[in-house]
Amino acid sequence: MSLKSINHVLGILEKQAKWQEQPFQRLLKFWPEVVGLVVAAHTRPLSIERDVLWVATSSAAWAQNLTFGRSSLLLKLNQKLPTPLVDIRFSTAGWQNPSVQRKQQQTVLPDEHPSYLGDEISRPEITPTKDVNTAFGHWAKTMRSRSHGLPLCPQCQSPTPPGELQRWTVCSVCAAKQF
Ligand SMILES: [Zn+2]
C-alpha cells in the first residue's frame, strides 16, 4: 500500500473515531456508575449503532440476566444521554479483546518499557526505513495518546509518552529515524 493511500485510510479512521467519540465516550464514563462496579467488571460497552447499545459480557449468564433487566437500565442511561437509546443488546461476543486483557494485567512492571502508557493496544513495529510504518507509527501514537494529555515530541510535535522523552529526548518514531 502506498503512503498516500495509507494517509487516506488513516484520515477516514480518524473521522470515524471523532464521530464515535460523542455519545459513546460519554456513556463509557458513566457506565460503571449506572450499572455498579460488579456489573461493570463483567460488561464492556462496545458501540452504539442506530441507537442500540451493544455490550459484551463475560459470560452467557450475565448476558441473560442483564437482558432481563435492560428496561430499567435503559431508563437510567437515557437520563444521562443526549440522544435516547432504544435498546441494549448483551452478548459474550466481543468480550475477548487483547486490549482489555492487558488492562487487567496492569500490575506487570509498568515502567519496563519507555513507551508504556498502561492501558493501550500493543505498539506497531517501527522500522526507520519504511515511510508507511513511520506514518502509521505517528498515527497510532496520536490515537493512543488522545486521552492522556501527553507532552509533545519536540521534533514532530506528536504526543509522546514521557518515558520516551526521558530516554531519547524525542518520540520513539523520531528516535528510530536517527539510528
Ligand atoms: Zn517525534
Side-chain angles (χ1 to χ4, degrees):
M1 199 161 16
S2 73
L3 184 58
K4 206 173 165 188
S5 59
I6 278 271
N7 280 335
H8 178 68
V9 170
L10 297 184
I12 291 170
L13 288 175
E14 190 142 18
K15 265 181 215 145
Q16 281 178 350
K18 272 186 191 138
W19 178 78
Q20 285 171 354
E21 224 163 49
Q22 272 94 53
F24 184 64
Q25 296 302 322
R26 277 171 79 155
L27 181 133
L28 282 182
K29 279 178 198 151
F30 60 68
W31 179 255
E33 179 191 326
V34 170
V35 299
L37 290 177
V38 176
V39 173
H42 291 276
T43 56
R44 184 160 49 88
L46 294 176
S47 64
I48 295 174
E49 279 165 41
R50 298 178 190 201
D51 299 329
V52 174
L53 172 65
W54 292 83
V55 180
T57 60
S58 65
S59 71
W62 274 109
Q64 209 169 25
N65 288 334
L66 289 165
T67 300
F68 283 130
R70 75 187 186 282
S71 49
S72 69
L73 187 54
L74 210 53
L75 281 176
K76 285 189 210 164
L77 291 172
N78 283 345
Q79 284 169 2
K80 292 172 177 280
L81 284 170
T83 332
L85 298 166
V86 296
D87 205 355
I88 312 175
R89 305 280 160 79
F90 296 95
S91 154
T92 53
W95 177 254
Q96 294 298 330
N97 179 313
S99 72
V100 168
Q101 283 171 357
R102 181 174 275 245
K103 207 167 202 161
Q104 289 163 349
Q105 291 164 4
Q106 243 181 54
T107 46
V108 183
L109 300 172
D111 49 10
E112 210 173 39
H113 193 282
S115 305
Y116 188 88
L117 284 172
D119 59 352
E120 301 295 336
I121 44 173
S122 61
R123 297 172 66 73
E125 284 287 321
I126 293 159
T127 315
T129 48
K130 293 259 169 64
D131 276 345
V132 167
N133 284 343
T134 308
F136 184 78
H138 276 296
W139 170 77
K141 188 188 287 291
T142 309
M143 295 302 285
R144 282 184 294 114
S145 59
R146 185 161 278 163
S147 57
H148 288 281
L150 293 174
L152 299 179
C153 165
Q155 200 153 312
C156 67
Q157 306 300 318
S158 68
T160 305
E164 293 186 10
L165 292 179
Q166 256 169 36
R167 182 173 291 198
W168 297 303
T169 70
V170 291
C171 73
S172 59
V173 177
C174 290
K177 276 191 214 158
Q178 288 168 3
F179 298 132

